[in-house]
């Protein structure tokens, strides 16, 4: 498989350019629910190609609220709906991915914390999501918030998740393992970057969208140089696109220029259905299967599966 370069151009290291903020957003009424794009037929019910080996994808961006969790859970659900087996590792003490996938995660629930502490295996603590298909979740609880400090003096602290996943993959066949990271570049995110083969960066179509991406790329370059040579930036996904603003279009153009191979053609629209779904403990695919948001995530999953299977990454 030809991997895209994880070395990013010098303009990235020096800080990406920003789109001009030429259209004030204040005063805009809430966006109408976008119509599904007829140019992008739904892929619902379509069987997706199985990867040759488990694809371990980390969803990371240290900027908060850009759609990491929404992307992790809806992609996972779309892959599972495509008849693939998927494990979501919730690596954020907020536990949002666990909530969105219908998994209880009150304090004391066994999950990521116990695995990182070396007390449990992933197979012991993974729970099956009520969402359709082979969709499993390693839940997180607020206990995980203390783990960064608890692990600080532990040798090999950045490899705890990698070791646990290696052990899990020896006896469990999963097509995809998707890791949802917290909004920081701390030890939890580092564990995910060391454990994964692919990085997916969600980028919100907003002002400051690219701010922080340069820092993330620098971190990845450090990780690939020192801790995990296998990590590639495989996918960039634009989220919360509001077609009414020129700014959103500018961000899309800029990100595509910046990451021409990695940026998926499909863009996730800003959609009330997507934001409502977690409060029902559901993904948007279950909550509103015909919505534009559900179709966009299905198309993104199909493209990710297609690229991987055809080794075009
Ligand atoms: N396409 C979308 N349309 C509308 N709302 C969205 C969309 N994607 C995400 N949201 C909402 O935006 C908020 C932030 O999304 P999300 O929790 O996925 O981001 P995050 O990057 O995981 O955040 P954090 O950094 O806190 O982990 C949530 O309330 C979510 O429901
Ligand atoms: Mg999140």
């Amino acid at each position: 498989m030809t991997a895209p370069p994880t070395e990013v151009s010098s303009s990235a290291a020096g800080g990406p350019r920003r789109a001009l903020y030429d259209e004030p957003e204040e005063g805009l009424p809430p966006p109408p629910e976008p119509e599904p794009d007829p140019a992008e037929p739904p892929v619902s019910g379509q069987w997706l190609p199985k990867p040759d080996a488990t694809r371990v994808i980390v969803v990371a961006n240290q900027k908060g609220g850009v759609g990491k969790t929404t992307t992790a859970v809806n992609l996972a659900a779309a892959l599972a709906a495509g008849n693939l087996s998927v494990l979501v590792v919730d690596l954020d003490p907020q536990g949002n991915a666990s909530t969105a996938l219908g998994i209880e995660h009150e304090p004391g629930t066994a999950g990521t914390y116990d695995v990182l502490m070396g007390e449990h295996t992933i197979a012991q603590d993974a729970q099956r999501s009520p969402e359709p298909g082979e969709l499993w979740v390693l839940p997180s609880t607020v206990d995980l918030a203390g783990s960064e400090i608890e692990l600080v003096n532990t040798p090999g602290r950045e490899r705890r998740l990698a070791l646990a996943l290696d052990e899990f993959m020896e006896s469990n066949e999963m097509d995809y393992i998707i890791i949802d990271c917290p909004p920081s570049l701390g030890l939890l995110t580092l564990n995910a970057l060391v454990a994964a083969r692919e990085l997916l960066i969600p980028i919100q179509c907003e002002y400051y969208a690219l701010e922080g991406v340069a820092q993330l790329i620098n971190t990845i370059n450090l990780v690939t140089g020192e801790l995990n040579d296998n990590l590639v930036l495989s996918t960039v996904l634009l989220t919360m696109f509001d077609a009414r603003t020129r700014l959103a279009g500018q961000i899309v153009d800029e990100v595509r220029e910046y990451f021409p191979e990695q940026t998926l053609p499909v863009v996730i629209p800003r959609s009330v259905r997507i934001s409502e779904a977690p409060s029902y403990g559901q993904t948007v695919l279950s909550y509103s299967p015909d919505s534009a948001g559900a179709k966009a995530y299905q198309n993104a999953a199909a493209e990710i599966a297609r690229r991987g299977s055809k080794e075009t990454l």
Side-chain angles (χ1 to χ4, degrees):
M1 151 150 78
T2 330
T6 45
E7 288 286 333
V8 176
S9 68
S10 56
S11 62
R17 288 177 297 118
R18 286 194 229 140
L20 291 173
Y21 190 71
D22 62 348
E23 215 164 74
E25 298 231 319
E26 271 179 21
L28 275 180
E33 197 54 29
E35 291 292 321
D37 185 346
E40 283 169 7
V43 292
S44 152
Q46 182 182 307
W47 282 31
L48 297 175
K50 214 172 157 59
D52 295 338
T54 308
R55 289 177 71 183
V56 184
I57 304 179
V58 50
V59 180
N61 186 337
Q62 80 277 19
K63 194 163 154 44
V66 298
K68 291 181 288 297
T69 303
T70 305
T71 294
V73 302
N74 289 301
L75 277 183
L79 291 165
N83 207 41
L84 299 171
S85 54
V86 186
L87 170 71
V88 173
V89 175
D90 190 347
L91 204 56
D92 185 348
Q94 298 178 99
N96 296 151
S98 307
T99 305
L101 292 168
I103 304 289
E104 295 289 331
H105 59 102
E106 66 272 7
T109 305
T112 317
Y113 173 81
D114 308 82
V115 168
L116 289 180
M117 292 299 145
E119 284 158 13
H120 291 180
T121 64
I122 292 177
Q124 271 178 306
D125 292 350
Q127 294 188 41
R128 190 164 187 163
S129 168
E131 292 281 318
E134 277 290 320
L135 182 50
W136 295 79
V137 183
L138 183 66
S140 94
T141 63
V142 289
D143 306 323
L144 193 56
S147 65
E148 296 201 297
I149 294 168
E150 289 179 58
L151 286 174
V152 84
N153 289 321
T154 312
R157 58 188 176 272
E158 68 285 338
R159 293 194 188 275
R160 309 291 288 216
L161 182 63
L163 289 175
L165 278 177
D166 283 348
E167 190 219 21
F168 176 75
M169 286 189 283
E170 270 172 27
S171 43
N172 294 273
E173 280 187 20
M174 281 284 158
D175 295 314
Y176 282 82
I177 295 176
I178 298 182
I179 309 170
D180 183 35
C181 288
S184 77
L185 290 175
L187 189 53
L188 288 169
T189 300
L190 189 58
N191 260 274
L193 293 171
V194 172
R197 307 281 177 283
E198 299 177 42
L199 168 67
L200 185 161
I201 307 180
I203 297 184
Q204 186 181 354
C205 300
E206 288 267 344
Y207 193 53
Y208 294 133
L210 283 166
E211 207 135 285
V213 172
Q215 197 192 346
L216 180 58
I217 298 296
N218 285 340
T219 304
I220 292 151
N221 286 337
L222 282 177
V223 169
T224 51
E226 308 255 329
L227 297 164
N228 179 6
D229 283 339
N230 297 320
L231 185 68
V232 293
L233 168 55
S234 65
T235 311
V236 171
L237 180 60
L238 289 151
T239 64
M240 298 187 230
F241 177 75
D242 185 344
R244 298 168 311 156
T245 67
R246 190 152 19 125
L247 174 69
Q250 286 174 347
I251 299 284
V252 170
D253 291 345
E254 217 173 304
V255 170
R256 289 218 166 109
E257 191 183 324
Y258 211 67
F259 300 109
E261 286 168 52
Q262 295 92 339
T263 308
L264 293 183
V266 62
V267 168
I268 307 300
R270 184 174 280 285
S271 147
V272 175
R273 301 275 178 276
I274 290 179
S275 58
E276 281 174 348
S279 60
Y280 296 89
Q282 288 183 311
T283 66
V284 73
L285 275 79
S286 296
Y287 175 66
S288 187
D290 294 325
S291 65
K295 291 191 164 68
Y297 271 115
Q298 283 175 315
N299 284 319
E303 178 65 13
I304 288 171
R306 187 192 68 79
R307 287 184 178 196
S309 70
K310 289 192 176 171
E311 304 204 342
T312 54
L313 285 177

